[in-house]
Amino acid sequence: MPIRVGVIGAGIMGADHIRNLATTIGGAEVTFVADLDADRAAAAAPPSARITTDPSELINSSDVDAVVVASHDSTHAGLVLECFEAMTPVLCEKPLAPTLMESLDVVAADADIVAATGVSLLSLGFMRRFDPGYVALRHAVRTRAQGEPLMVHCISRNASAAPGTTSESAITNSAIHELDIIPWLLDSAITEVSWQAGRSTRHAGTALQDPSFMTLRTADGTLTTLELYLNARYGYSTRCEVVSELGAAALQDSVLVGFEQEGTRREPIPADWRPRFADAYRLQLQAWISALANGEMPPLAGAQDGLNAALVAHAMIQSLHSSGASTKVSYS
Ligand SMILES: NC(=O)c1ccc[n+]([C@@H]2O[C@H](COP(=O)([O-])OP(=O)(O)OC[C@H]3O[C@@H](n4cnc5c(N)ncnc54)[C@H](O)[C@@H]3O)[C@@H](O)[C@H]2O)c1
């Protein structure tokens, strides 16, 4: 019997997850789609699936074995807690929540369930952990193939920021990927951060300093730099280079075809994150479904990973609000 999945939020990511679950993921069936926008739910849902504008109806439906939350960040904590009440496994898109307080609430509720049942119901969509490039980079770091890592340089660029993006939400929504992947990559917790910005593009609103530049210091002493540029206009790009004692290792852009013509070389750049991380989204979903089908704990990021990233984001926002002062991350 396939795992019957209900998907909440049928926007860019929800529609992508629905398409994957309905076409390439083995052992899953999308049976229910919820979106406040009924037309959007209907457009994204497979023909056999039910649709609703009420996510609670989906979570409590007997037609659903597991839930994907792909609605706005501000809805994550509440919907995950509802899934906990229904004792339904949930894969929540990143971030766990935009605020530290909500993240703590979810982690406390998750801990209660783990104490009572021995298993967590929550998986978190930090899908870079499934990206073949990041996996290979992590292997190189873990095996010390190039000696001890010393610095990491990350660049994260989008074509344009979502409407309403602020300098703070750029951290909790976008930079959160690096706040999760760097400790995972280096096997070392982020202990200290700083946030800086110089000139801002005229394409950013007044509430957003864009680009911004962040530093992350991990417990192992490695320093990571991150340029976050959400209105880069030209396309989507995620870069990561680990500089070690004997060499450097960097993610390669996943260009499938390059063009050479009239004395120039041209490589298409994706418009957004979906083509770049298509494999990661698919591998993550398959790992989640396969684990649920086998009665195992899914090997995805979990509640504590979401909280750790939220704690670092909280410190980063403190740095932003204190003129870029170096700020310690408190895990206690
Ligand atoms: N993992 C990644 O790489 C990645 C990439 C992009 C977005 N995301 C995350 O995925 C989530 C969705 O992002 P998106 O780009 O698809 O946004 P989107 O705006 O395209 O879609 C969000 C959808 O959720 C619906 N919605 C909002 N509140 C709802 C509610 N309470 N109940 C039901 N539906 C509701 C909206 O109507 C909309 O259709 C966000 O949390 C975002 O941070 C993750």
Side-chain angles (χ1 to χ4, degrees), residues 260-273:
E260 291 170 352
Q261 193 172 353
E262 295 175 355
T264 59
R265 189 170 284 143
R266 187 166 61 84
E267 292 182 351
I269 298 171
D272 69 25
W273 50 89

Side-chain angles (χ1 to χ4, degrees), residues 208-222:
L208 173 64
Q209 285 278 329
D210 192 40
S212 56
F213 181 81
M214 302 172 215
T215 64
L216 319 171
R217 197 176 290 278
T218 34
D220 63 359
T222 305

Side-chain angles (χ1 to χ4, degrees), residues 5 22 40 99 143 154 170-171 183-184 198 223 231 276 278 300 324 326:
V5 182
R40 205 172 283 180
T99 67
T143 58
C154 304
I171 294 168
W184 176 87
L223 184 66
N231 289 284
R276 168 62 185 86
L300 281 70
S326 197

Side-chain angles (χ1 to χ4, degrees), residues 240-286:
C240 183
E241 180 180 33
V242 180
V243 182
S244 302
E245 285 177 312
L246 300 174
L251 295 179
Q252 299 299 302
D253 279 339
S254 56
V255 170
L256 296 180
V257 181
F259 299 91
E260 291 170 352
Q261 193 172 353
E262 295 175 355
T264 59
R265 189 170 284 143
R266 187 166 61 84
E267 292 182 351
I269 298 171
D272 69 25
W273 50 89
R274 285 170 293 178
R276 168 62 185 86
F277 285 111
D279 285 345
Y281 295 125
R282 189 174 45 75
L283 291 166
Q284 176 180 257
L285 273 174
Q286 186 64 71

Side-chain angles (χ1 to χ4, degrees), residues 11-13 35 40 70-71 73 76 93-94 127 173 281:
I12 297 173
M13 278 320 298
D35 198 294
R40 205 172 283 180
S71 45
D73 295 1
H76 290 187
E93 261 302 343
K94 48 57 52 178
M127 82 300 169
N173 177 277
Y281 295 125

